[in-house]
C-alpha cells in the first residue's frame, strides 16, 4: 500500500512539474490514452498480487 501511495504522489508531482515548466507530459493527451495507462497500471498491480 505504501508503494502505491508513493507512486501516485510521484505521478502527480511529475505531472505538476511538467505543467509548470511547460514541457510535454509523458502521457497520452486524450482520455482514452489516460484510461489505457490506468488499466495497464491496475493490471500490473493485480498481476503482482496474484503472483505473490
Amino acid at each position: 500500500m505504501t508503494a502505491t501511495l508513493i507512486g501516485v504522489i510521484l505521478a502527480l508531482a511529475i505531472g505538476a512539474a511538467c505543467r509548470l515548466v511547460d514541457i510535454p507530459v509523458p502521457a497520452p493527451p486524450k482520455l482514452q490514452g489516460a484510461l489505457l495507462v490506468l488499466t495497464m497500471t491496475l493490471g500490473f498491480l493485480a498481476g503482482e498480487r496474484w503472483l505473490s
Side-chain angles (χ1 to χ4, degrees):
M1 183 66 177
T2 304
T4 303
L5 184 62
I6 291 172
V8 169
I9 292 170
L10 183 60
L12 289 172
I14 290 171
C18 288
R19 182 71 173 159
L20 290 173
V21 182
D22 199 27
I23 59 174
V25 177
K30 303 235 181 219
L31 180 60
Q32 294 88 351
L35 289 175
L36 177 63
V37 171
L38 175 65
T39 55
M40 288 172 45
T41 302
L42 292 176
F44 177 82
L45 293 173
E48 181 180 358
R49 249 181 221 249
W50 182 66
L51 291 175
S52 62

